[in-house]
Amino acid sequence: MIKNIKNFLLAGLVCCAFGAATTSCSDDLGNDAVATTRTNAATRLAVMKDSVAVGDQLSVSMGSYSTILGIDADGDWTASLSDTSWVSISNHAGYGYTDRWSFLRLSVKKNEGDARTAVLTVKTKSQQQNITIRQLGTGTDPGDTFPSSWTTLEDFLLGYNLGNTLDSNPTSATGDGWWEQKWQDSTPTTADWETAWGQPVTTPAIINAIAERGFNVFRIPVTWYIHMDQNDQVDPAWMARVKEVVDMVLATGSYCILNVQHDTGAAATAWLQANMEAYNNGAADRYKKLWQQIATTFRDYGDHLLFESFNEILYTNSDAGWTPPAAGNDAYEAIRRYHQDFVNTVRATGGNNEYRNLVINPYAATSTQTVLDELVVPQDKHANHILMSVHSYDPYNFCNDNGEWSILTFNDECRETIDAVFQRVTSKASELGIPAFFGEFGAIDGKKDPAERIKYATYFGQKLKQNATSALWWMGLIDRVSLNWTEAEIVNALFNAVK
């Protein structure tokens, strides 16, 4: 997208340089600027961001950030900044047109201090717009020894999901599935649960092998409900096993993200649902009890342990829930309340949880525009300790096996789909004033041509680097029994792209 805009600007400047007032030009954005007419009428001026007028205020996050602003003007214009020590613009003047915009790139440096402002002034012969750019500061409270969410994300390189392990669970609520038959004459142990979905018991050797390859963030998905009694108390043996795995990760110097996994989702057994009826009829109380126990267990752990509110929460525990509801649906209100409960409960346990970095997810952890529009950052007693996570298996038909609809070649349309995901996510994160990363991603259909999956890994990695963020691949890549890297070329492509 950025390359396209640069090319568009260059094409427009070249046309104008040759004095072509009615020259036919074409740009890489897919808009043909045919019979573009330069004008200096100066009757119209608006600064646009994502096709919306900016107005007199533009808030940006405390991290390094850049965005493209459109100048909708029919008169030649100039742009200036009141402070260039931390904010810059790519060009300071442009032409006015009757039928297209000019563009400039606004960039800000990471803020290591207090909140700050600068004024961007755009002028034509008879019009002027002043925009106050406000950047959040670190805002850390006295005694806050934890790095901010921004600093933490900067330390993420690439991550790995330890999936199909502590998240295993029966998907049948009727007691007649294969899962129930497997242990009909015995009580499963923690090892039985951990290996039920085909992975071995986690060992330090497994974690070390992944960390030594360069993955420095581990997400530990955990399903809890099957290990909770009628009073919502977690089985001490299960909590102890979760603690052991977390300790393995932290022993490597890596970051660890601990969550609530298949308590949400489309399975009949999923109890944590995004609707106000469920919220008001026991789900919220159970959720708070669960996080109180998890947070208490880990409250003395250091800043490399993060908590994630939940996985892919849906309004109903059926496949219908994968289609996000319309804006204004009470699913989004339920998510807002769960997130606030999550933050309040963790903070109330004290210790290092006072400042621990916490991760929130939008509906289904997806990145569609409506879902992102509905996401709200919960109130927190301490600033800059919340991150946003989304999941991206985009394009879906390339990353997954979808039968006859599968996309077999990673082409320009795939790249455009990924570009759009990054644009939506980074724009929303900037609006919310929190950093964002991808808690799950990957071209996980192993039947696809490895060369095409390598193209995907390379491109996604490049986008991560361009946007100063990180992502965690969904399991695979390594045989956890033999510790052989079964998809080493994909791993190499990822690290070559992000470094």
Side-chain angles (χ1 to χ4, degrees), residues 118-420:
V119 177
L120 169 65
T121 300
V122 183
K123 294 181 180 180
T124 65
K125 183 170 61 177
S126 61
Q127 309 252 341
Q128 177 173 319
Q129 183 172 353
N130 296 322
I131 301 170
T132 300
I133 302 164
R134 302 183 181 278
Q135 186 180 37
L136 299 172
T138 54
T140 53
D141 299 328
D144 184 351
T145 59
F146 270 45
S148 72
S149 52
W150 297 97
T151 301
T152 298
L153 182 56
E154 285 181 350
D155 210 20
F156 287 7
L157 184 56
L158 280 173
Y160 186 88
N161 276 276
L162 197 73
N164 289 9
T165 305
L166 300 180
D167 51 333
S168 70
N169 67 100
T171 56
S172 167
T174 61
D176 58 359
W178 70 269
W179 184 282
E180 291 78 8
Q181 294 297 318
K182 181 175 181 179
W183 290 311
Q184 60 182 339
D185 297 321
S186 63
T187 301
T189 64
T190 57
D192 289 330
W193 290 111
E194 189 170 348
T195 59
W197 283 359
Q199 295 298 325
V201 169
T202 305
T203 64
I206 294 172
I207 301 299
N208 290 342
I210 298 169
E212 288 169 2
R213 184 59 189 83
F215 293 94
N216 73 338
V217 192
F218 288 76
R219 182 167 175 259
I220 310 298
V222 181
T223 301
W224 297 90
Y225 75 90
I226 40 179
H227 308 287
M228 298 166 68
D229 64 19
Q230 65 272 20
N231 297 315
D232 301 322
Q233 296 301 299
V234 177
D235 179 2
W238 184 249
M239 185 69 81
R241 180 53 186 161
V242 172
K243 188 174 181 294
E244 286 176 351
V245 175
V246 170
D247 289 345
M248 293 178 203
V249 170
L250 297 176
T252 68
S254 301
Y255 288 89
C256 181
I257 301 173
L258 181 62
N259 82 344
V260 173
Q261 185 77 356
H262 293 307
D263 300 80
T264 67
T269 50
W271 60 273
L272 188 60
Q273 299 172 31
N275 66 74
M276 288 306 299
E277 181 179 0
Y279 182 90
N280 290 324
N281 286 284
D285 291 339
R286 192 180 195 194
Y287 182 66
K288 287 183 282 188
K289 287 180 184 178
L290 175 56
W291 268 114
Q292 195 277 333
Q293 294 171 78
I294 298 169
T296 298
T297 299
F298 293 98
R299 66 182 162 197
D300 295 327
Y301 278 56
D303 57 43
H304 274 43
L305 175 63
L306 292 77
F307 294 152
E308 179 187 23
S309 55
F310 40 68
N311 184 45
E312 297 167 345
I313 192 168
L314 309 179
Y315 74 86
T316 180
N317 55 351
S318 70
D319 285 342
W322 292 117
T323 300
N329 188 281
D330 77 354
Y332 303 113
E333 175 61 22
I335 288 172
R336 288 189 279 272
R337 296 196 187 193
Y338 284 129
H339 278 151
Q340 193 62 63
D341 292 339
F342 166 60
V343 172
N344 293 348
T345 301
V346 171
R347 296 287 181 243
T349 59
N352 285 336
N353 290 335
E354 180 85 4
Y355 304 105
R356 189 171 308 286
N357 285 307
L358 306 176
V359 181
I360 63 171
N361 294 316
Y363 182 92
T366 191
S367 63
T368 59
Q369 193 60 58
T370 297
V371 162
L372 292 177
D373 288 344
E374 292 281 356
L375 184 64
V376 174
V377 180
Q379 295 294 312
D380 196 359
K381 62 193 296 186
H382 301 296
N384 297 318
H385 284 301
I386 294 179
L387 304 89
M388 175 175 77
S389 169
V390 298
H391 298 174
S392 176
Y393 299 100
D394 302 293
Y396 182 86
N397 289 341
F398 176 81
C399 291
N400 299 275
D401 180 4
N402 201 19
E404 62 182 296
W405 293 282
S406 287
I407 298 171
L408 303 180
T409 302
F410 187 77
N411 54 27
D412 285 343
E413 290 185 6
C414 295
R415 294 180 182 89
E416 290 169 3
T417 298
I418 292 173
D419 289 348

Side-chain angles (χ1 to χ4, degrees), residues 1 410-412 414-420 422 453-466 493-494 497:
M1 179 67 173
F410 187 77
N411 54 27
D412 285 343
C414 295
R415 294 180 182 89
E416 290 169 3
T417 298
I418 292 173
D419 289 348
F422 272 85
R453 297 172 68 214
I454 289 169
K455 291 178 186 177
Y456 163 90
T458 298
Y459 192 72
F460 204 99
Q462 290 170 346
K463 297 298 291 186
L464 293 173
K465 185 173 183 179
Q466 290 169 10
L494 286 169

Side-chain angles (χ1 to χ4, degrees), residues 2-23:
I2 293 170
K3 174 185 175 185
N4 290 342
I5 291 174
K6 287 181 178 177
N7 290 341
F8 174 61
L9 288 170
L10 181 58
L13 291 174
V14 168
C15 289
C16 293
F18 282 96
T22 57
T23 302

